[in-house]
Amino acid sequence: MSVPDTAVAARLDGVPLVRDAVPADYPAIREVVIAAYRQYADLIPPDVFSPYLADVLDLDTHARRGRLFVVEAGERVCAFGAFYPDASGDGFGFPAGWVSGRALAVHPDARGNGAARALLATGEYLALQAGAPVFAFHTHSYMTDAIALYERLGYRRAPQYDFDVAARFGRPGAAPIMSHAYLRYVTQKYVTPGGRTR
């Protein structure tokens, strides 16, 4: 894919590089996702966590339904996100016409370097380019650091799109494990891939 076809064309003033992922990136993506989600393994029953993680790591399905992006820092893949141009295609209740993010993950060693912000800005940029009114995604209630970041960046809760992870991934009737929906209405201001607005 040529540079003009990607959501991010250049590294901006120390902002990590976001680029389209290619199949050769898949091992690095899996490493990032497993490292990022490992800290939550003890918070979810194993019979829910395993199918949930398998779903997050299903890169072939994500690639068929949307676009995969990686963030590089120091020539190393340090973060990943899948973006669905039709949010209804992700199967988690968002309406058609929105853009959604899935499996957003930053390697623990790379947190604090702007990778998460760069991924979120990419989602907003893709929504803007598609003429979609909203960029949305889910995060789990126990991912408190991520939630704090989303709220600092102005994302809003949309509880009508929450879902129960336990029921979705194999334990209906078990104690709920809530996945919270967050969204941002994308305006016509230009959102750069590095998160700046113009």
Side-chain angles (χ1 to χ4, degrees):
M1 185 169 285
S2 67
V3 170
D5 293 334
T6 64
V8 180
R11 197 178 306 263
L12 301 171
D13 301 339
V15 173
L17 172 71
V18 181
R19 63 169 174 80
D20 285 275
V22 297
D25 294 316
Y26 285 12
I29 291 169
R30 288 188 176 95
E31 181 182 323
V32 165
V33 170
I34 290 167
Y37 284 76
R38 182 179 296 127
Q39 66 186 317
Y40 308 118
D42 293 336
L43 302 177
I44 304 176
D47 58 345
V48 175
F49 185 75
S50 291
Y52 164 68
L53 186 61
D55 177 72
V56 171
L57 290 169
D58 187 356
L59 303 180
D60 292 330
T61 296
H62 295 316
R64 277 195 308 276
R65 295 180 180 167
R67 289 176 71 181
L68 309 184
F69 287 89
V70 293
V71 179
E72 287 185 348
E75 307 302 317
R76 171 181 166 248
V77 171
C78 69
F80 164 73
F83 296 94
Y84 286 50
D86 177 1
S88 66
D90 75 4
F92 289 91
F94 290 133
W98 289 10
V99 168
S100 64
R102 287 285 318 278
L104 304 178
V106 178
H107 195 286
D109 295 344
R111 289 180 183 155
N113 74 356
R117 288 175 188 249
L119 281 174
L120 293 168
T122 298
E124 292 177 27
Y125 181 79
L126 292 172
L128 187 65
Q129 292 294 95
V134 173
F135 170 58
F137 53 87
H138 286 94
T139 191
H140 294 196
S141 56
Y142 49 80
M143 296 180 175
T144 54
D145 290 343
I147 288 170
L149 173 65
Y150 303 147
E151 292 179 350
R152 275 196 315 274
L153 293 176
Y155 284 87
R156 296 186 352 205
R157 284 276 290 113
Q160 67 272 32
Y161 300 110
D162 291 357
F163 70 91
D164 179 2
V165 177
R168 171 87 184 198
F169 291 102
R171 289 194 63 189
I177 302 167
M178 296 310 295
S179 187
H180 293 174
Y182 278 83
L183 60 80
R184 171 170 282 158
Y185 288 91
V186 180
T187 66
Q188 288 307 306
K189 68 184 177 186
Y190 177 70
V191 180
T192 69
R196 298 177 180 88
T197 58
R198 294 183 186 181

